[in-house]
Amino acid sequence: MKLHNIRSESKGYTTWGCMWKKGELSLVDGKPAKSFFCKNKKGEAVLMQSRVTSFWQDGSVKWTAHTADAALLGEQIEVRLADECEQEGDYGIRIQETEQKLTIYAGELELYITKNTNNLVDAVKIKGNTVLTDAKLVLELEEPMLIEGNKAKVNREYLGQIEHITIEEKGPLQAILKYEGSHISATGERKMPFIIRMVIGMDCSDIKLTHTFLYDGDEEKDYLKGLGIRFQTPIKGELYNRHVKITNDYGCFHEGLVPLISWRPRVPQGLYERQIQGEKLILEGNDKEIVDQVLEDTPYWSEYSLCQDSVSHFVIRKKLAEENCCYIDSLHGYRTHGGFAFGSEGGSILLGIRDFWEKYPSGYDVKGLDLDEAEATIWFWSPKAESMDFRHYANRGYNQVCYEGYDYKGATPYGIACTNECMIRFDEKIIPTDRELDAFCNQVNKPALFVAEPEFYHKMRAFGYWSVPKKDTPMEIWLEEQLERAADFYLNEVEQRGWYGMFNYGDFMHTYDHQRHQWRYDIGGYAWDNTELVPTLWLWLYFMRTGREDIFTLAEKLSRHAAEVDVYHFGKYKGLGSRHNVRHWGCPCKEARIAMAAHHRFLYYLTGDRRFEDIFDELKDNEMSFLNKDPLGDFYEKEEMVYPSHARSGPDWSSLCSNWMTEWERKNDIRYRDKILVGMNDIKKAPLQLTSGPDFEFEPQTCHLRYIGERTTGGTHLQICMGAPQVWMELADLLEDEEFKKMIADYGRFYYLPKEKQLEESQGIIGDREFTLPFMSAAMGAYGAWYLKDEWLAKRTWQILLETMIHDGNHEGFATKKIPNCGNQKELVEIAWISTNFAAQWCLNVIMVLEFIRDALPSTMEEAEVLTDGADAFYFRKA
């Protein structure tokens, strides 16, 4: 497998995924029968650390994850199977573990850990010198209250209590520790569980941390005020050799703790300039006497603080050590990428939070710079910003007017999560250069990312059926232009609309309001999208076919957000997510489709991100949540039911199938395959098989579906617009089930038949059931045309898909318009009619339809207009 780095960064350890042909690599005694060998563009062998992440249905290896030093990998690599192991000698990370302690030796880096304490790490040493001690998790909650009729706020502080440490990965190059626990106050109150992953690399001076925070508070009183990681570090040497440096909008803010500038006595010329250049000053004679005199009568700036308090503002402040002294403002700016360094004669520490300004309010505090030991805090939520209020925006729902699920309130944040990433680097220099700090930020935000060419993934049919771009005809060119325009529009819209913040970044809005030139952020189900109509699948497949780094990042942030904030990780809704709403957890509809594994398999297999292993573990048995929340419970009488819950074949059962399929392939556990087969066999027995229903009764204990007639709550299109076609088609191939393949094909054909033909073929049992929004079924229709070799169906599929964008001589598609002085923009870029539902579904279907029936696509726009004008042809089919 040949891969290339699609990012500019080429330093630090990086992990990527490789895909293997079915049967190519088997297991022997639980391990791959062959080892993996990597060479770079120069032909040099590069040491890797490897693990298996999924299996084919025959038990052979499907996906693997590999870790190596990006600096050695270069721009291009080749990974292949080898009979001999590429590792030599005893080189690598060593871990010593007892009941009470863990010690990690990673070359020059050593970590000392005591279990079941407040400390993530007791001490970190570099070359035998202690550089960090007592790393802890910190949490601040704010409670609003009334005191004698006056509004007040009380801040409560908590420290993380480590309850369990797992050595999740250990190899020659990398070790990963997984910490689990809760935050505990001084009075013993437990709040907010956490999952922390600490990544240590061999001979690497970086420590990477992935911080997952889970909300189990009372939304009425547990406002999030501060969330972060705090540690101590030794500070050595003269006060004038102590520095702080912070990245800005342009360049860096850099100060010495004690600036060598003085009215009286005059500091010798040139010393201040050398200090600001980051030079270690060794003073003697008269220079030292004068500077020592200055030090006796000058303020020591002991504390520095950086806070990005909004998407468009950050502030740097500093103060003296005395508690009764105020902070003073050092610098106000727009956006900082979050590089923060402080140092002394003993070396420097660099701090970086990924997506620092995008996931505001982020920040850092460092205190005690004038002492022998400083305290640094990395804030994922800075307490210097406004607290996070988790309450809902209303005390009821607005079903009809505002497109919310029901009229009753169903909002709850209990069980949601948020994951953030940061890095700590230890450097021997007194302070890094501006360029070094900027490069560090780039590594934190855009680490090296190795992927294969789209043609490789396409040939391997990674993640099912999708097309690679071709521009051989005018219509192919037009379609590719529309796909590119749609993706570029959303890339720009994130920035133009400011879709940022710790609990928002990654998501899109649902529907646009042309009159206000604003998305309907305040109108119920038209606000945050929460994966409605799978923009995740659209963007991931668009990346797979283009290899564009900016699209990968857009999809990555969407997956990270949707997997954490939009879903429940514990509690009665575990494994379910909230439907689109003003608040991400606001809608009373809690459904499997929002949380399903199909959204995020791409990111996991391409990067090996272990946080998604937690996510998939939460989902593998989430059918049991259907006992707590029947997705159709408000539409059926409980006393008339035979099974305790309901599941539509799509999107409910299909979403469960994606969870079971992911667990089956990740663990090679056929119990999850068998869960799929139970429901599939039940559907096969239904009168119209996959076309039947789609409402079924559901028994979570056995995974059986019970046919209850041709009823479709919400419209037939819901059966196939939430990822079901993509899941079904991939499953049919994995199971090698020809009957199920034909069922998919028959469904696609049936959807596009005229009503009288549908009634005839179903012998009338479909009744008045409508097959709504037919363009959303284009992938099913194309599959049917391809599988059944049906030319009429191929033509009809293109007719329906194209006529949604080509009508009355208008074929502008996703063309944007620019409006001056509008939407708080000098020039607003707008698509007046846009909705994320349409964009995601139309683009996703085009990507798939091109794979199945490209040959049936009209060659020119003129031919397409003739085809779309002939809608009446739908009702007549020649023999």
Side-chain angles (χ1 to χ4, degrees):
M1 183 175 178
K2 295 180 180 179
L3 304 99
H4 60 285
N5 185 4
I6 61 174
R7 288 179 173 156
S8 61
E9 182 55 52
S10 58
K11 293 182 180 178
Y13 283 104
T14 185
T15 301
W16 70 92
C18 284
M19 189 178 185
W20 307 93
K21 295 177 182 177
K22 180 182 173 183
E24 186 176 9
L25 178 60
S26 58
L27 296 184
V28 176
D29 297 328
K31 297 181 179 180
K34 296 183 178 182
S35 61
F36 304 97
F37 182 81
C38 177
K39 66 178 182 180
N40 59 23
K41 190 176 181 180
K42 298 177 182 179
E44 300 165 335
V46 180
L47 182 63
M48 290 191 308
Q49 181 171 313
S50 307
R51 61 187 172 94
V52 176
T53 52
S54 78
F55 302 88
W56 289 100
Q57 65 270 36
D58 64 354
S60 61
V61 174
K62 185 176 184 180
W63 284 92
T64 50
H66 307 274
T67 300
D69 186 343
L72 300 177
L73 294 171
E75 296 178 1
Q76 298 177 8
I77 59 172
E78 180 179 316
V79 179
R80 60 177 173 83
L81 300 177
D83 292 326
E84 289 119 13
C85 180
E86 78 270 24
Q87 300 170 13
E88 298 179 3
D90 296 327
Y91 177 83
I93 294 174
R94 295 184 296 113
I95 300 180
Q96 293 180 353
E97 183 176 16
T98 67
E99 289 186 9
Q100 290 81 31
K101 293 185 179 294
L102 272 171
T103 307
I104 301 174
Y105 302 95
E108 296 178 348
L109 182 72
E110 298 175 5
L111 286 84
Y112 299 86
I113 300 166
T114 302
K115 300 178 181 178
N116 302 315
T117 68
N118 293 124
N119 284 350
L120 291 170
V121 178
D122 297 331
V124 176
K125 294 184 178 182
I126 298 278
K127 296 180 180 179
N129 298 315
T130 300
V131 292
L132 180 151
T133 61
D134 299 326
K136 294 177 170 63
L137 301 176
V138 290
L139 169 71
E140 293 184 25
L141 297 178
E142 178 184 279
E143 181 179 353
M145 59 178 59
L146 289 175
I147 299 178
E148 297 180 352
N150 297 307
K151 291 183 179 180
K153 297 176 182 178
V154 174
N155 285 5
R156 305 191 306 274
E157 297 183 353
Y158 301 75
L159 288 177
Q161 173 67 39
I162 313 299
E163 297 165 6
H164 191 64
I165 303 177
T166 304
I167 303 173
E168 198 167 49
E169 185 172 335
K170 174 191 172 186
L173 299 180
Q174 180 172 274
I176 301 178
L177 301 184
K178 179 180 178 182
Y179 299 80
E180 296 170 277
S182 293
H183 298 86
I184 300 180
S185 70
T187 61
E189 182 186 31
R190 306 174 73 88
K191 288 285 184 182
M192 314 305 171
F194 58 79
I195 301 170
I196 308 296
R197 283 182 168 83
M198 180 184 293
V199 182
I200 303 104
M202 182 65 183
D203 285 326
C204 180
S205 58
D206 300 338
I207 293 179
K208 299 178 185 177
L209 292 144
T210 301
H211 179 290
T212 299
F213 143 86
L214 301 106
Y215 187 83
D216 70 346
D218 178 346
E219 64 186 272
E220 296 293 333
K221 65 178 184 178
D222 291 325
Y223 293 21
L224 179 61
K225 185 61 178 173
L227 181 70
I229 300 171
R230 180 174 293 154
F231 61 88
Q232 315 297 315
T233 183
I235 297 289
K236 300 178 181 179
E238 301 289 353
L239 293 177
Y240 48 77
N241 281 329
R242 302 184 184 191
H243 296 255
V244 170
K245 183 172 284 191
I246 304 169
T247 57
N248 301 157
D249 297 304
Y250 307 98
C252 291
F253 168 93
H254 177 201
E255 289 189 353
L257 175 67
V258 180
L260 292 182
I261 185 169
S262 169
W263 179 38
R264 294 175 182 170
R266 295 285 185 182
V267 174
Q269 190 173 4
L271 286 185
Y272 186 42
E273 181 181 356
R274 289 166 57 196
Q275 182 191 36
I276 291 301
Q277 289 176 349
E279 181 181 335
K280 180 180 177 181
L281 300 179
I282 302 175
L283 305 183
E284 298 176 338
N286 186 57
D287 287 355
K288 186 170 185 353
E289 288 181 13
I290 293 175
V291 169
D292 285 347
Q293 185 180 349
V294 168
L295 292 179
E296 293 176 1
D297 196 28
T298 190
Y300 301 162
W301 298 107
S302 175
E303 301 182 17
Y304 280 81
S305 170
L306 167 65
C307 177
Q308 179 85 43
D309 51 32
S310 76
V311 70
S312 57
H313 178 258
F314 72 85
V315 61
I316 300 170
R317 294 187 175 101
K318 66 180 182 180
K319 74 181 293 292
L320 307 185
E322 288 80 4
E323 287 295 327
N324 66 336
C325 292
C326 72
Y327 274 99
I328 66 170
D329 290 0
S330 303
L331 179 72
H332 289 266
Y334 182 53
R335 292 171 176 172
T336 167
H337 288 292
F340 189 108
F342 62 97
S344 66
E345 294 176 17
S348 56
I349 291 182
L350 287 70
L351 306 176
I353 296 176
R354 194 174 187 200
D355 302 321
F356 184 85
W357 63 264
E358 293 92 337
K359 298 187 75 173
Y360 73 87
S362 309
Y364 308 100
D365 287 340
V366 60
K367 301 179 179 180
L369 288 171
D370 57 336
L371 304 176
D372 294 332
E373 186 177 67
E375 176 186 274
T377 307
I378 300 169
W379 292 112
F380 301 115
W381 189 283
S382 172
K384 292 181 173 60
E386 185 179 351
S387 60
M388 175 64 189
D389 182 349
F390 291 91
R391 295 175 300 172
H392 198 42
Y393 80 98
N395 290 316
R396 53 159 291 188
Y398 301 92
N399 173 250
Q400 293 299 307
V401 173
C402 295
Y403 188 39
E404 294 195 290
Y406 303 101
D407 283 331
Y408 59 82
K409 179 182 175 183
T412 175
Y414 186 90
I416 68 164
C418 191
T419 290
N420 297 280
E421 301 166 76
C422 69
M423 184 187 291
I424 303 170
R425 173 173 291 175
F426 308 101
D427 197 306
E428 293 180 340
K429 291 183 179 180
I430 196 169
I431 199 74
T433 66
D434 291 7
R435 181 174 294 181
E436 287 168 340
L437 186 57
D438 187 64
F440 170 73
C441 282
N442 190 59
Q443 184 179 334
V444 172
N445 283 292
K446 295 272 190 174
L449 177 62
F450 285 84
V451 298
E453 294 291 345
E455 290 75 15
F456 172 84
Y457 295 123
H458 181 258
K459 183 179 179 181
M460 295 289 284
R461 200 166 284 172
F463 309 112
Y465 292 90
W466 46 274
S467 59
V468 291
K470 291 183 182 179
K471 297 184 178 181
D472 297 333
T473 70
M475 276 308 297
E476 286 178 326
I477 293 172
W478 184 83
L479 285 175
E480 293 300 332
E481 285 177 349
Q482 303 320 307
L483 293 175
E484 184 176 19
R485 284 176 175 178
D488 288 348
F489 175 77
Y490 276 85
L491 275 168
N492 180 68
E493 201 70 349
V494 173
E495 168 63 16
Q496 182 171 252
R497 304 295 176 174
W499 291 338
Y500 298 113
M502 187 164 133
F503 291 95
N504 293 333
Y505 183 47
D507 207 353
F508 308 141
M509 287 279 174
H510 186 286
T511 300
Y512 194 64
D513 182 344
H514 174 54
Q515 298 303 319
R516 286 191 287 176
H517 301 285
Q518 171 65 282
W519 293 79
R520 301 182 193 176
Y521 69 95
D522 55 347
I523 303 181
Y526 292 117
W528 289 115
D529 190 68
N530 285 28
T531 75
E532 180 78 353
L533 274 58
V534 290
T536 45
L537 302 190
W538 156 41
L539 291 174
W540 278 119
L541 289 183
Y542 190 61
F543 165 74
M544 297 300 294
R545 71 196 303 269
T546 63
R548 284 175 51 177
E549 188 278 335
D550 55 352
I551 299 301
F552 180 95
T553 299
L554 189 67
E556 176 191 19
K557 304 311 177 186
L558 176 54
S559 271
R560 175 68 80 194
H561 164 88
E564 303 285 2
V565 181
D566 293 345
V567 305
Y568 295 99
H569 304 268
F570 55 81
K572 66 178 182 178
Y573 297 141
K574 179 182 176 181
L576 304 179
S578 295
R579 178 180 170 270
H580 41 104
N581 196 262
V582 172
R583 298 287 265 173
H584 293 287
W585 46 87
C587 187
C589 297
K590 313 298 183 184
E591 300 184 27
R593 62 180 173 85
I594 299 114
M596 68 173 177
H599 296 298
H600 317 304
R601 293 166 67 240
F602 303 85
L603 183 55
Y604 175 66
Y605 291 129
L606 291 172
T607 68
D609 188 323
R610 284 191 175 269
R611 170 57 185 154
F612 285 95
E613 295 176 1
D614 302 336
I615 302 293
F616 297 149
D617 284 341
E618 293 166 4
L619 294 173
K620 61 186 173 64
D621 299 309
N622 81 317
E623 65 272 12
M624 301 310 295
S625 294
F626 281 52
L627 295 172
N628 299 324
K629 185 65 174 179
D630 183 344
L632 305 181
D634 288 83
F635 300 94
Y636 291 89
E637 297 297 330
K638 193 74 174 177
E639 57 272 15
E640 297 176 5
M641 293 165 53
V642 176
Y643 287 173
S645 191
H646 289 88
R648 293 158 289 184
S649 53
D652 306 312
W653 179 75
S654 59
S655 299
L656 293 176
C657 283
S658 84
N659 301 338
W660 298 329
M661 177 177 69
T662 303
E663 188 66 10
W664 172 29
E665 65 183 359
R666 283 180 56 230
K667 305 285 183 62
N668 196 25
D669 189 338
I670 62 171
R671 292 177 299 173
Y672 290 89
R673 177 205 64 188
D674 293 345
K675 287 186 178 187
I676 297 168
L677 293 177
V678 169
M680 188 176 290
N681 289 331
D682 291 334
I683 292 173
K684 287 178 179 179
K685 296 172 185 176
L688 302 177
Q689 295 189 314
L690 194 58
T691 308
S692 276
D695 295 6
F696 287 80
E697 284 186 3
F698 180 53
E699 172 51 85
Q701 298 284 357
T702 63
C703 298
H704 272 294
L705 297 169
R706 177 176 174 268
Y707 177 69
I708 55 175
E710 298 301 308
R711 294 190 58 177
T712 172
T713 302
T716 303
H717 66 282
L718 293 181
Q719 189 180 12
I720 40 82
C721 67
M722 309 283 190
Q726 294 73 31
V727 172
W728 290 338
M729 291 174 194
E730 193 171 357
L731 262 181
D733 284 353
L734 286 174
L735 294 169
E736 299 176 331
D737 189 325
E738 289 302 319
E739 183 180 3
F740 192 58
K741 292 178 183 178
K742 187 174 184 302
M743 287 162 59
I744 297 171
D746 288 342
Y747 182 102
R749 172 183 167 275
F750 193 90
Y751 212 103
Y752 287 167
L753 291 177
K755 182 68 175 183
E756 54 267 33
K757 190 66 174 176
Q758 290 175 336
L759 288 167
E760 177 186 332
E761 291 196 4
S762 68
Q763 297 181 358
I765 67 170
I766 64 166
D768 59 358
R769 178 181 164 196
E770 295 294 329
F771 288 75
T772 44
L773 298 172
F775 85 93
M776 295 183 182
S777 190
M780 297 289 281
Y783 185 96
W786 168 74
Y787 186 88
L788 300 170
K789 298 180 174 57
D790 189 324
E791 293 182 7
W792 172 86
L793 184 54
K795 180 179 178 181
R796 179 57 186 158
T797 299
W798 275 121
Q799 182 186 53
I800 285 176
L801 191 54
L802 293 176
E803 71 182 357
T804 59
M805 289 283 269
I806 301 172
H807 47 81
D808 300 327
N810 184 336
H811 42 80
E812 291 183 353
F814 289 102
T816 59
K817 294 184 178 180
K818 296 180 179 180
I819 307 172
N821 300 314
C822 187
N824 199 33
Q825 302 289 323
K826 183 177 181 181
E827 193 172 62
L828 181 71
V829 178
E830 182 182 79
I831 300 177
W833 53 266
I834 196 72
S835 78
T836 302
N837 273 5
F838 179 82
Q841 275 297 295
W842 192 85
C843 293
L844 177 59
N845 276 278
V846 168
I847 288 169
M848 297 184 69
V849 170
L850 281 168
E851 176 66 5
F852 293 120
I853 53 171
R854 184 185 292 271
D855 291 345
L857 174 67
S859 296
T860 66
M861 184 59 68
E862 291 75 15
E863 293 176 7
E865 288 176 338
V866 170
L867 177 66
T868 57
D869 286 343
D872 289 344
F874 174 78
Y875 297 104
F876 305 99
R877 183 179 184 191
K878 296 182 180 179

